Amino acid sequence: MLYTPLGYTHFSLSTTFDYISKNSVADKFGLKKDDTILKIDNYSIYNSMRYLGVLGIYPGGEAVTLTVKREDAELVLKGNLGSRELIQKPSKMPF
């Protein structure tokens, strides 16, 4: 699993969400389990690397529009990305 400013996703060729945490940024956008992100603003999202690259150009808290595939429909969802602040500073390096 990989944490992103929208929530957790598997690091793979897909941008489909396996799990949406309650009260998370993804939940506030209205994303649901099994939703697939097709676009962030006008940037096409075709794999997880592109997803991360596009998210990286936005500052934390930025308003964006998502185009999402849910079952057989395409939805447009609007909201703000999560913060880029470190959630927890590691106490020591793991190596």
Side-chain angles (χ1 to χ4, degrees):
M1 297 291 271
L2 177 68
Y3 180 75
T4 71
L6 286 175
Y8 289 90
T9 185
H10 275 291
F11 190 75
S12 67
L13 296 177
S14 172
T15 55
T16 301
F17 282 82
D18 298 315
Y19 179 78
I20 303 292
S21 298
K22 188 175 179 178
N23 296 320
S24 67
V25 174
D27 185 39
K28 292 174 185 173
F29 263 93
L31 288 167
K32 305 287 183 197
K33 180 185 180 304
D34 297 324
D35 281 355
T36 300
I37 296 179
L38 303 174
K39 286 185 176 181
I40 298 175
D41 288 336
N42 290 320
Y43 296 98
S44 293
I45 305 300
Y46 40 82
N47 63 33
S48 60
M49 293 300 292
R50 173 72 170 181
Y51 167 73
L52 293 173
V54 170
L55 285 177
I57 67 172
Y58 292 97
E62 183 82 5
V64 298
T65 300
L66 304 178
T67 304
V68 174
K69 181 179 179 193
R70 181 176 296 159
E71 296 176 4
D72 293 329
E74 279 191 22
L75 307 173
V76 175
L77 307 174
K78 296 183 180 207
N80 291 28
L81 296 175
S83 170
R84 290 185 173 267
E85 294 179 20
L86 199 60
I87 295 171
Q88 180 180 7
K89 183 178 178 181
S91 59
K92 63 180 181 176
M93 298 304 285
F95 48 88

